[in-house]
Every structure is written in C-alpha cells, then in structure tokens.
Amino acid sequence: MTIDAATGIARILKQEGVDWVSTFPVCRVNNALGKEGIPMLMMRDDRYAVAVADAFSRITAGNRIGVCTFQGGVNAAGMQYAYAGMAQAFEDGSPVLCITDGVPIGSSGNSQFDVVSSMKTVSKWFGYIDRPQRVPEFMRRAFTMLRSGRPGPVILAVPDPTGTYDETADPYVAVKGWKSAPDPADVTAAVDLLLKAHNPLIYAGEGVIYANAAAELKLLAELVNAPVITTLKAKGAFPENHPLFVGVRGDHVSNYLASCDLLLAVGTSLSPGRFSHGIPRAAEKTIIHCNVDELHVNKVYPTAQAVIGDARFTLQALAREVSSRTSEVHRNAEAVVLNIKSERDAGLARYREAMASEDQPINPYRVYGDLMKVLDPHNSFITHESGNTRDQLSTVYDTLIPRGFLGWGNVSTLGFSLAAAIAARKAFPQRPCVAVTGEAGLGYMLGNLEVLLRNKLGITVAHISNGGFAGYGPGFWGPGHDPFTHSVLGYDEVDMSRVLGELGLHSQRVREPSEVVPALQRALAANQSGQPSYIEFICSQYPVYGQWVSR
Ligand SMILES: Cc1ncc(C[n+]2csc(CCOP(=O)(O)OP(=O)(O)O)c2C)c(N)n1
Ligand SMILES: [Mg+2]
C-alpha cells in the first residue's frame, strides 16, 4: 500500500497508543491526523500546544506520550513561538514528541533563524525525515528515545509530508522502551554505606515517578527507617501523610538536610537550582547517587557511590540487599518517627495557623487549607504557578498520590499551570483538576481560556488575586527585589471574575474566608458538566513559605 509520509506518521501514532494531539496551526501533518481520526486539541498559541503535550507526558509519567504539532519549515513562526515550550520541556526532562514541518530540501539556509541548530538545543533528539521511506525508522527511533533512558523531548521535522512510500516495505511495530538494572556490586556497596550511617536521609526526585517506583521507594524507606524528602518535581512520589515523610521545603526539611550524614538521592539530578535544595556541608556527608545515567553523577557534589539504572530496579535491588541483612538495621523506628513529627509540627506551625486564618483580604494559606478540605487527596489534581503559589503550595499542600500534585520547573515558566490542568483532565477524566495561579500566570493563559470552553474541559482556575506580581523573595513590594515592576491593575480596578464570566466560565469572586469552601464546591460542581470555572480569591500579599536550602 502506497501512503504519504503524513498519513504514515498518523497511523504509527495510533499504533503507539496516541489518541489525541495538541496543536496550533498550521502544520502540514495535521490534515493526515484529521483524516486518520486522531482528535486535535487546538490551543490558541504554539507554546501552549507544546506545554499541554509536555504536561501530559509528565502527568502520566511517560506511560502515555504527549504529542504536539506546530508550524515550522520555511515559515517557522510557530516554531519560534513554540521554542519556549520546548525549552521548558527540555529543561525539566519531559518525554514529549513534537512534530513540525521541516525545511524542504533546496530551501535550507535562506532564513536567519537556524531551525536545525536551535531545535538541537532543546531536544534529546532532533530527527529530520529526509525521505518518506524513513518514516517508520524515525518514528521507531523517536519512541525508543521517548520510552528509554533519561526522559527528554524528541522533535521530528517533516519536510515532505506528501511524499509517498510503501507502507508494507518496513512494517511498523510499536516500541516497548527499555530499562536497565544497576550493577549488583554498586548495590552492595551502597547498602554498606546506608546501613553504617547514623542519620541517613532519602532524597527522592522525579525519576522515581517516571520509573513508577513509588511503592518501591516506600518499601525501602520503611526497611531502613529513613526519613524522606522529595524535590518539587517529585512531590507526591512519597505519601505525605506517611510517618517517615519530612517535606519538600520548610525549616524541618532544612534541618534534616543539614543534619543528615548520608544522603541517598534517587531519581534526582541533585543540581542546585533556583527551585531546589543545595546540600549544605556536602563534603562532610556521604552521597549515594542513584540515577538513570551518569550525566549528573559527580556533578557539583562528589558522589561516594553511584548506582546507575532505572529507579525502580535500583530501589528493588537496594531493598533486596537490605532485607538479606536485617540484623544490620540498627535504627530505632519509633525515635525516627517521633523526631519527624516534632520537626514537622514545629516547622509547619505558622502555616497551619495561616490556613485557619479569618483575615480579610484572605490569607492565601486559607485557600490552600480549604482546597485540602474540598479535594479528595486520592482522586484529585492540583498544580501551582510560578510565584508565591508555587512556594506556598509546595510548603503545605499534602499530596498522597503521585501526580495528585504536579510540581514543575527547574526554571519555572509562567502559564504552565493551565497546560498542566488541561493535561490532567485528559489523563484522569474523573479527577477534579485545579490550577492555582497569580496575576502573571493568569495573564499568560488568558488567550487560551477559550480552549476550555470549546472543548468542554471542566477544570478550575483558582486565582490568588493579590494586586501585583509578588514573585519570589521578600515580595516585590517595599524592600522587595523588584519594587519598580510589581504593580498591575488589581482587584480594586478590574473585576476579573466579570471578565471571565462574560467569556463563559463559571466565575466567582470571593472576599470572605468562610466563602472559600462553598465557592470551591460550586466551581467543581460546574466542572462536572464540562464547564470550566474561575475563582478570584481576594487575597493578601503574604510572601511567607519554606526556603530552599543553599549549599
Ligand atoms: C516566563 C516567565 N517570565 C518571568 C518569570 C519571573 N517571575 C516569576 S514569578 C513572577 C510574578 C508572579 O506574580 P503573580 O503571578 O501575581 O504571583 P504572586 O507571586 O503574586 O502570587 C515573575 C514575573 C517567570 N517565572 N516566567
Ligand atoms: Mg500576584
């Protein structure tokens, strides 16, 4: 059977289990997707087309691959705008597949923007399908890279979507993806160190989620009675009501990072960034670094023992080794748990107080506390924005299941929460999905809210309306770090609930703390019939949250 390249790509996507694609037009593959019956979620800009697919891959832990298309080729306007989304996916290591038009043979070198070199800087692999016959090969390679090894975006450029090939010449078989187990000698050496330590601390990263290894993490922690902290991106990898859970950030987390004598890092790059912890006095600690590959081993901190392999296989192997040496486990479980509880109670006290606040304007923590009351922690999705909502939610929001909360952002690109909530709605249609945002995140997403209405995507956007860009640090106000660039039209000047109500969202404005719970309940009820909701919570400026520990 002779088919064209675009049709071949569409059929292979179906074989790979892809049942929808996000896009912003135009892309010359889209007509084939439509004809082959693959629904397209048309966003209102190219960055969000990438971000929704990216978020879908993250939320499903790569078990289902998010795919997007956007304009490229000789008019790479879409690609230039999508670049921000791809850079973010690459920065955070998300296995998203981006398909775009390729510069046709004979047209290279005519534009100022160099497609090939720019795409290579934001992808695990950039493939240029230079002959239609190579469609199966390139798709095989793409899905191999998307499903194996360290996760990252793959970009495919299609210069000639109408060129034909014989579909039967190289029949496509869906790619499984492959994982590797660690060297047993490294496992034994790691357990030697672990069992000798007086104050070990497990530091879990998003690799645990991508490896579907939450159960294995819990088992190992319980076997050695070790406290657990997670990165922002791994929030939820460990049940946050577990007696061994310390936190993501806050004084209690800082204390454990400072006092541990051994850090068992698993599925994290351990890269000190703007939104992650450094390891204080690292030279005095023993660092065991379990990672999918060598890229981050011995990066910044010397690694005492690396264990290279898939996080699930690694945790299983560590647990097996520990189980065979139980006589060497000398830590008193009760003392460990008691200490965690008292550290947590002390570290969280002021936030718990704020969560019960009756203040007006509403304290943002009151909204977060009430969100925890309204949402079922085993069956809901919530995500933050860049700014205070990230810092505050990641300090206090109790997450009990992987991806009940999506933490994101090695660099934290404003507006992503909308994409995350949309992707969550696609991934878990039964779960209430909430994006918590400030003014800046809301500004980014405004043009894309029509997508929710058009596609009946019943999600809730909860706006912590505090009259300005607070951001991070002490706030943008007064002695804050950006006193000249914080002020936007606030709730006294613009009623955003009316603006978005006119658009068609179920819209509310909430000033009374006692109204937070009922407003959330109404918003989520509207979501059930497919209507998106917006709530403007009139809040105070309250830049108080757990800090990241510096090196
Ligand atoms: C794309 C992008 N540009 C710039 C920033 C820097 N930045 C971080 S937070 C912020 C302002 C956040 O203000 P707001 O949304 O009102 O949230 P608040 O902290 O007030 O809750 C800015 C400009 C960013 N994170 N992403
Ligand atoms: Mg704000």
Side-chain angles (χ1 to χ4, degrees):
M1 243 297 257
T2 299
I3 56 168
D4 59 67
T7 303
I9 290 169
R11 290 185 185 171
I12 289 170
L13 288 177
K14 285 199 277 189
Q15 274 183 272
E16 290 289 2
V18 174
D19 50 18
W20 62 278
V21 169
S22 58
T23 189
F24 185 78
V26 294
C27 174
R28 294 175 68 212
V29 172
N30 282 359
N31 283 350
L33 297 177
K35 283 183 195 145
E36 290 296 313
I38 300 179
M40 277 171 281
L41 179 61
M42 186 175 74
M43 301 302 295
R44 294 296 294 265
D45 71 56
D46 327 74
R47 176 266 172 130
Y48 273 102
V50 178
V52 168
D54 162 359
F56 188 73
S57 288
R58 296 186 200 219
I59 289 164
T60 63
N63 293 312
R64 295 169 71 190
I65 298 294
V67 182
C68 63
T69 64
F70 49 79
Q71 182 183 38
V74 290
N75 180 9
M79 176 184 283
Q80 289 175 12
Y81 208 78
Y83 189 85
M86 287 183 284
Q88 188 186 8
F90 185 61
E91 175 64 53
D92 275 10
S94 170
V96 54
L97 176 59
C98 306
I99 301 174
T100 184
D101 313 302
V103 178
I105 291 169
S107 296
S108 67
N110 294 348
S111 61
Q112 298 300 312
F113 178 75
D114 182 27
V115 167
V116 177
S117 57
S118 64
M119 292 299 99
K120 283 188 173 172
T121 61
V122 289
S123 61
K124 182 172 175 179
W125 184 57
F126 171 69
Y128 178 81
I129 309 182
D130 58 359
R131 288 178 71 209
Q133 288 78 0
R134 299 189 74 187
V135 163
E137 175 203 335
F138 274 67
M139 293 298 280
R140 263 198 303 270
R141 286 173 73 178
F143 277 93
T144 299
M145 275 181 255
L146 290 162
R147 297 209 173 108
S148 313
R150 190 157 44 87
V154 168
I155 305 170
L156 287 177
V158 190
D160 182 14
T162 56
T164 57
Y165 68 102
D166 176 3
E167 197 184 17
T168 59
D170 179 10
Y172 191 84
V173 178
V175 175
K176 177 187 158 291
W178 291 273
K179 302 175 193 314
S180 55
D183 182 341
D186 292 332
V187 172
T188 308
V191 170
D192 287 345
L193 294 170
L194 182 59
L195 294 180
K196 261 195 281 177
H198 295 290
N199 293 310
L201 177 66
I202 298 180
Y203 191 13
E206 201 179 25
V208 171
I209 293 180
Y210 278 114
N212 300 300
E216 287 77 4
L217 173 66
K218 184 163 161 279
L219 178 69
L220 181 70
E222 288 170 355
L223 281 173
V224 293
N225 300 317
V228 177
I229 66 174
T230 72
T231 63
L232 172 65
K233 285 159 65 192
K235 186 167 162 55
F238 195 77
E240 298 189 351
N241 58 354
H242 193 287
L244 288 171
F245 179 68
V246 178
V248 175
R249 57 201 296 186
D251 292 350
H252 44 302
V253 176
S254 308
N255 292 345
Y256 271 89
L257 268 169
S259 64
C260 69
D261 62 345
L262 178 140
L263 196 78
L264 175 71
V266 51
T268 161
S269 70
L270 281 184
S271 306
R274 188 65 187 74
F275 308 109
S276 60
H277 294 297
I279 303 171
R281 299 199 316 280
E284 296 163 25
K285 301 181 196 299
T286 303
I287 297 177
I288 302 175
H289 201 167
C290 309
N291 216 301
V292 69
D293 67 18
E294 74 286 1
L295 182 74
H296 301 295
V297 170
N298 277 321
K299 175 179 171 186
V300 186
Y301 311 106
T303 303
Q305 179 62 54
V307 187
I308 307 274
D310 171 74
R312 191 157 69 93
F313 292 155
T314 299
L315 287 163
Q316 283 171 344
L318 291 169
R320 262 197 311 273
E321 179 73 16
V322 171
S323 301
S324 70
R325 295 163 61 173
T326 40
S327 61
E328 294 172 58
V329 180
H330 53 76
R331 288 161 53 72
N332 179 323
E334 208 179 320
V336 172
V337 165
L338 273 177
N339 195 60
I340 292 172
K341 180 160 176 6
S342 73
E343 284 280 349
R344 268 178 68 83
D345 285 345
L348 290 169
R350 62 168 152 167
Y351 307 110
R352 288 176 178 159
E353 201 176 299
M355 283 192 270
S357 161
E358 295 289 340
D359 290 353
Q360 253 181 304
I362 302 169
N363 186 300
Y365 282 97
R366 172 67 187 253
V367 178
Y368 311 142
D370 285 1
L371 273 162
M372 280 194 255
K373 288 184 192 153
V374 170
L375 293 171
D376 172 357
H378 293 283
N379 187 36
S380 58
F381 173 88
I382 183 164
T383 192
H384 58 86
E385 255 308 332
S386 176
N388 275 325
T389 61
R390 169 200 51 235
D391 300 319
Q392 295 165 338
L393 279 167
S394 57
T395 303
V396 297
Y397 198 89
D398 290 330
T399 307
L400 304 193
I401 55 170
R403 297 317 196 203
F405 182 104
L406 185 72
W408 48 270
N410 291 347
V411 302
S412 123
T413 314
L414 280 163
F416 190 70
S417 69
L418 177 71
I422 291 174
R425 161 62 67 246
K426 302 290 274 181
F428 319 116
Q430 302 313 319
R431 289 189 194 167
C433 298
V434 180
V436 183
T437 184
E439 282 68 45
L442 185 69
Y444 276 78
M445 64 181 78
L446 277 178
N448 279 267
L449 294 176
E450 177 269 343
V451 177
L452 304 177
L453 294 156
R454 179 163 36 87
N455 290 279
K456 300 194 172 23
L457 292 164
I459 65 158
T460 289
V461 174
H463 175 194
I464 303 297
S465 183
N466 61 6
F469 295 161
Y472 19 68
F476 283 6
W477 294 276
H481 60 79
D482 271 316
F484 301 104
T485 52
H486 79 269
S487 173
V488 293
L489 293 185
Y491 45 75
D492 288 333
E493 289 105 350
V494 184
D495 184 340
M496 280 310 288
S497 68
R498 282 179 53 202
V499 175
L500 298 183
E502 283 300 313
L503 190 62
L505 278 82
H506 181 281
S507 189
Q508 305 172 79
R509 179 171 244 228
V510 178
R511 287 183 181 274
E512 301 272 345
S514 61
E515 269 301 301
V516 174
V517 165
L520 285 167
Q521 286 166 335
R522 287 189 291 267
L524 297 174
N527 290 168
Q528 281 182 355
S529 57
Q531 188 186 18
S533 302
Y534 167 82
I535 313 176
E536 182 177 19
F537 292 108
I538 308 302
C539 284
S540 59
Q541 302 155 5
Y542 193 76
V544 180
Y545 42 81
Q547 297 302 310
W548 299 118
V549 177
S550 56
R551 284 162 66 188

